[in-house]
Amino acid sequence: MLALFSVRSNQVVLLRDLVQELWSETPPQSAKITLQTYIVRLRQQLSKDLELSGASLDPKGLLQTFHGGYQLTVDPAVLEYRRFEDLAARGRGEIATGDYARASLVLRSALDMWRGPALVDVSTGPLLQAHVTRLNNARVTAVEQLMEAELRQGRHLDILGDLTDLTAEHPFHENLHAQLMVALYRAGRRSQALEVFAGLRSTLVTNLGIDPSHKLSRLHRAILNGDPTLESLPQRGGMLLDCFAA
């Protein structure tokens, strides 16, 4: 329950949401009484943790009772996922302004907070699982943006290994494949860049029945033609594939 309160900190978590998270669609008749017992135990654990940390806070003040639910009241800065989201947003902002060096620093700081998949050691119900999916997707986006910032700074050789691993982990992700294609092309490995496109196209057609996007196809043609713009992409704007939108 603490995980759900944390991801919904500073807002009331309704009783029905807690019941759904704990028992899904088959709650016991004693669900509300059992839930109250869990809340008492959680407050007791919070009290012990606060005592050990030396913090002079009332656990009832942290986990407050409201009509229809409970609310965990905390400073967002103490929650790692909130700090990650703030740093990731700052990184996106730096990319938008063209400050790729700063973007790399900020995004690396954000990603350094991860030690594995989100809430990997927590039993999740339907509500927490939705949050886990969102967080894991946000992590992939931050990684993609870090690769973008590195590529824009001419560090294609440094990220080839990372991009190779990332495209294997995310076989349908066009942006990551596009970044790998450009990195390989800049490293003088045009044939391998073309093979990456062919592999992605085969994966998309076989599994989803679709072709690569128009933008990725334009990038493919640019590599085929040895387009000199691949060596020096615009220094401000969106992601790499956006440069091949028209």
Side-chain angles (χ1 to χ4, degrees):
M1 278 200 309
L2 182 57
L4 183 59
F5 284 127
S6 296
V7 301
R8 293 191 177 182
S9 59
N10 302 314
Q11 56 183 299
V12 175
V13 180
L14 298 177
L15 290 174
R16 67 167 182 264
D17 289 343
L18 290 167
V19 170
Q20 182 183 6
E21 179 66 20
L22 291 170
W23 295 287
S24 191
E25 302 301 324
T26 56
Q29 290 185 344
S30 61
K32 289 187 177 180
I33 296 175
T34 303
L35 188 56
Q36 290 171 351
T37 301
Y38 289 165
I39 293 294
V40 170
R41 291 177 180 173
L42 181 55
R43 282 176 171 153
Q44 290 173 343
Q45 185 59 53
L46 286 172
S47 180
K48 291 178 182 178
D49 292 342
L50 289 171
E51 185 177 348
L52 288 173
S53 68
S56 57
L57 294 172
D58 180 1
K60 288 187 178 180
L62 282 178
L63 186 56
Q64 297 174 287
T65 302
F66 286 86
H67 179 69
Y70 302 89
Q71 175 176 306
L72 181 68
T73 303
V74 295
D75 181 353
V78 306
L79 300 172
E80 282 194 339
Y81 84 91
R82 288 287 184 87
R83 297 203 303 273
F84 163 75
E85 290 176 336
D86 288 344
L87 286 170
R90 285 173 52 194
R92 287 195 301 272
E94 300 294 355
I95 286 178
T97 62
D99 191 343
Y100 296 108
R102 181 63 182 166
S104 288
L105 290 173
V106 173
L107 289 166
R108 284 194 186 280
S109 295
L111 291 166
D112 283 346
M113 299 176 68
W114 286 76
R115 292 176 291 277
L119 299 179
V120 67
D121 56 348
V122 175
S123 177
T124 60
L127 302 181
L128 264 182
Q129 188 55 51
H131 185 78
V132 166
T133 299
R134 184 178 69 82
L135 271 181
N136 285 330
N137 287 340
R139 181 189 189 185
V140 173
T141 298
V143 170
E144 174 194 350
Q145 290 167 338
L146 174 60
M147 295 298 101
E148 182 82 14
E150 295 289 279
L151 197 60
R152 296 297 185 108
Q153 295 174 83
R155 296 176 181 164
H156 45 276
L157 294 177
D158 296 334
I159 61 174
L160 271 175
D162 290 333
L163 285 170
T164 299
D165 291 342
L166 286 165
T167 51
E169 185 179 351
H170 304 283
F172 303 107
H173 200 299
E174 285 202 352
N175 279 350
L176 290 173
H177 282 79
Q179 290 169 341
L180 178 57
M181 289 165 64
V182 171
L184 286 167
Y185 178 84
R186 289 181 176 179
R189 296 156 64 178
R190 181 162 66 165
S191 62
Q192 288 178 261
L194 296 172
E195 288 172 3
V196 169
F197 177 84
L200 174 61
R201 184 180 186 282
S202 176
T203 297
L204 292 175
V205 170
T206 301
N207 292 278
L208 303 178
I210 61 174
D211 285 315
S213 68
H214 176 68
K215 290 187 285 188
L216 193 65
S217 296
R218 285 179 61 87
L219 171 60
H220 175 244
R221 287 196 295 273
I223 292 173
L224 274 173
N225 297 330
D227 191 330
T229 61
L230 291 170
E231 297 290 350
S232 180
L233 297 171
Q235 287 302 299
R236 295 186 67 174
M239 301 296 282
L240 184 150
L241 273 182
D242 295 330
C243 301
F244 298 89

